[in-house]
Amino acid sequence: MSIPLSEALKFWAKLGFISFGGPAGQIAVLHQELVEKRRWISERRFLHALNYCMLLPGPEAQQLVTYIGWLMHRSWGGIIAGTLFVLPSLVILIALSWIYLTFGQVPWIAALFFGIKPAVVAIVLHAAVRIGKRTIHNQALKWITLGSFLAIFILNVSFPMIVIITAIIGYWGGKRYPEYFQQSSSHGNTKDIGHGTAMIDDNTPTPDHAQFNLQKTLRHSAIALCCWLLAIGILISYFGWKTLYPQLAWFFTKAAFLTFGGAYAVLPYVYQGAVDHFQWLSANQMIDGLALGEATPGPLIMVVAFVGYLAGHIQHLIGSANPFWFGVLGACVATWFTFLPSFFFILVGGPLIESTHGKLGFTAPLTAITAAVVGVIANLGLFFAYHVFLPRGFGGSISWISIIICLLAGLALFKFQKGVVTVIGCSALAGLLSYFVAVLMP
């Protein structure tokens, strides 16, 4: 029995519009739809695919969708599934980015973002705690987390350097002290409660197209490289190497290969590059972009589309009749070069890397990197808190309303397990309410 591509296409298109809640929520939706309801894949095969995707840099939910689409309908099935998972979010974020830049100074819209920003602080810190519980299961990993936090907080060490150092520590530690670097399966505790036979069941043999083949690997690698070279070549030939769009392409290509640990891992790197180095946008705009990314369907890493749009729109705001299209180009460039490596990892690397899955020499560096990412995300949360709670810096006034909204958002996330979209919506209303109270009671 096999699922027709047309039927799968309808589901992948629907998924792009309902995948709220960040990676955890998206994986839960996938499990419910594909394992429990539709029985396209068994519990064990689903977890096997998920654990493989968690080893890779980039957004694991989008890679999991691509993986299952590839397993069911070969390479084109994976490309269609992964693209439809991203496409609705890209269109929505382009529209929201334009609204943000065009109407962001309107008082009541500014009030909505005023309420959302402290919620983002709570969301980022909640992500650090959640990832920490999933990955930090011994003292050695705790020290790696603390070291990465201090390295970026005090010494301002770049995120790629932290990745390299912790990978070396993990490789050495996996050989010297393997018991500290065993990878714990965060999703492996779920037992198959028996939903009936699946289309891809536990004993279903690996299809021919998913078997490792050197010629196919080389051919697909060449195609992926050509897609990258052609896109960046067009940008360089039209705009010049030292201009915005080739810089976006190269920057987000590096981001795609360095973001081990899921969507939140990309945020510190994007922040360091987009805000500190290139100054494409401000710290407050980055916080707003993260809020929009959290509130829209699709992978959280789609915040790169917001960064790309703002970079293109703002740079061409003067001297251009319509900066909107320059922003659209920036969003598309950022998205293309961020996600192209994800398709490469699944469609090209899947059969090869899957054979090494579970081997400590391969997983120990990634375990160490994920522990370091927790410290980096915690630093990002504190950085956001500084900008939100002290909008005018040290010596300026404290935004007590922001602190109260942040505490309430944290309470909703940690204690009552409320969803991210719910928290952002309520926080936006709180910001709007504070604005109207200030207007009525000056």
Side-chain angles (χ1 to χ4, degrees):
M1 181 183 71
S2 62
I3 304 299
L5 180 59
S6 58
E7 182 180 341
L9 183 63
K10 293 178 183 177
F11 172 72
W12 300 131
K14 170 189 171 183
L15 182 67
F17 289 96
I18 64 171
S19 53
F20 290 92
Q26 291 156 4
I27 290 168
V29 169
L30 279 171
H31 184 274
Q32 183 182 46
E33 290 285 340
L34 300 184
V35 177
E36 298 178 13
K37 291 174 61 176
R38 301 173 187 268
R39 296 303 291 153
W40 287 1
I41 188 169
S42 70
E43 177 88 11
R44 187 175 298 175
R45 295 293 287 268
F46 179 88
L47 294 176
H48 177 70
L50 175 59
N51 287 334
Y52 163 55
C53 293
M54 289 180 66
L55 295 177
L56 300 172
E60 63 254 33
Q62 188 267 348
Q63 289 168 339
L64 179 61
V65 168
T66 306
Y67 186 101
I68 296 174
W70 164 70
L71 204 58
M72 292 172 56
H73 295 110
R74 311 176 70 89
S75 296
W76 277 113
I79 292 171
I80 291 170
T83 301
L84 289 177
F85 189 69
V86 170
L87 196 58
S89 180
L90 173 61
V91 175
I92 292 170
L93 272 173
I94 286 175
L96 290 176
S97 300
W98 176 78
I99 293 171
Y100 172 79
L101 283 181
T102 306
F103 302 105
Q105 300 304 314
V106 175
W108 69 270
I109 293 181
L112 290 175
F113 279 100
F114 174 80
I116 289 173
K117 286 176 183 177
V120 170
V121 175
I123 289 167
V124 173
L125 293 176
H126 179 252
V129 173
R130 189 177 68 247
I131 297 172
K133 287 181 178 179
R134 188 180 76 192
T135 57
I136 303 172
H137 45 84
N138 60 58
Q139 198 64 35
L141 296 179
K142 289 179 182 178
W143 281 111
I144 290 175
T145 300
L146 178 61
S148 69
F149 173 81
L150 295 176
I152 196 168
F153 183 76
I154 297 177
L155 303 177
N156 199 29
V157 178
S158 67
F159 183 70
M161 185 59 64
I162 291 175
V163 169
I164 293 171
I165 294 172
T166 51
I168 294 171
I169 293 173
Y171 181 79
W172 171 81
K175 290 183 174 298
R176 188 74 181 269
Y177 306 102
E179 66 276 11
Y180 290 109
F181 293 88
Q182 297 283 354
Q183 192 174 52
S184 64
S185 177
S186 59
H187 300 272
N189 296 328
T190 305
K191 295 182 179 179
D192 194 343
I193 59 177
H195 300 286
T197 303
M199 192 273 290
I200 302 176
D201 211 35
D202 292 351
N203 299 320
T204 302
T206 301
D208 291 340
H209 68 269
Q211 301 281 355
F212 174 70
N213 180 289
L214 181 59
Q215 288 184 337
K216 184 188 294 185
T217 298
L218 293 175
R219 183 170 67 252
H220 287 182
S221 298
I223 292 172
L225 181 61
C226 286
C227 288
W228 186 86
L229 288 173
L230 181 63
I232 199 168
I234 292 172
L235 294 174
I236 293 172
S237 62
Y238 193 83
F239 295 102
W241 169 246
K242 292 187 178 181
T243 58
L244 171 65
Y245 298 108
Q247 286 180 338
L248 282 171
W250 180 239
F251 174 73
F252 284 111
T253 297
K254 292 186 292 182
F257 282 95
L258 291 169
T259 53
F260 293 93
Y264 281 97
V266 75
L267 298 177
Y269 181 73
V270 172
Y271 177 84
Q272 281 189 328
V275 178
D276 288 341
H277 182 68
F278 292 107
Q279 297 180 341
W280 290 327
L281 69 170
S282 68
N284 282 321
Q285 287 174 329
M286 186 70 190
I287 300 172
D288 293 337
L290 178 57
L292 292 177
E294 291 276 15
T296 53
L300 176 60
I301 202 174
M302 282 304 297
V303 69
V304 303
F306 177 84
V307 173
Y309 181 90
L310 260 65
H313 186 115
I314 292 171
Q315 187 170 103
H316 295 88
L317 196 56
I318 300 175
S320 172
N322 194 350
F324 170 78
W325 294 110
F326 290 99
V328 171
L329 178 59
C332 292
V333 168
T335 303
W336 173 268
F337 287 95
T338 297
F339 284 95
L340 182 61
S342 289
F343 287 103
F344 169 80
F345 291 136
I346 299 299
L347 303 180
V348 177
L352 177 64
I353 300 178
E354 201 171 54
S355 65
T356 66
H357 182 69
K359 294 184 178 179
L360 189 61
F362 181 73
T363 61
L366 301 180
T367 301
I369 289 171
T370 306
V373 162
V374 176
V376 174
I377 295 172
N379 170 75
L380 186 70
L382 292 179
F383 183 85
F384 283 175
Y386 166 76
H387 281 274
V388 173
F389 301 156
L390 298 168
R392 294 178 178 82
F394 287 112
S397 60
I398 299 174
S399 178
W400 292 106
I401 296 177
S402 296
I403 293 175
I404 292 171
I405 293 175
C406 181
L407 291 174
L408 292 175
L411 190 66
L413 290 166
F414 285 96
K415 183 173 178 59
F416 297 104
Q417 308 294 314
K418 296 297 181 181
V420 167
V421 176
T422 301
V423 171
I424 286 179
C426 292
S427 300
L429 290 177
L432 192 61
L433 179 63
S434 68
Y435 165 72
F436 284 125
V437 169
V439 170
L440 294 175
M441 302 175 60

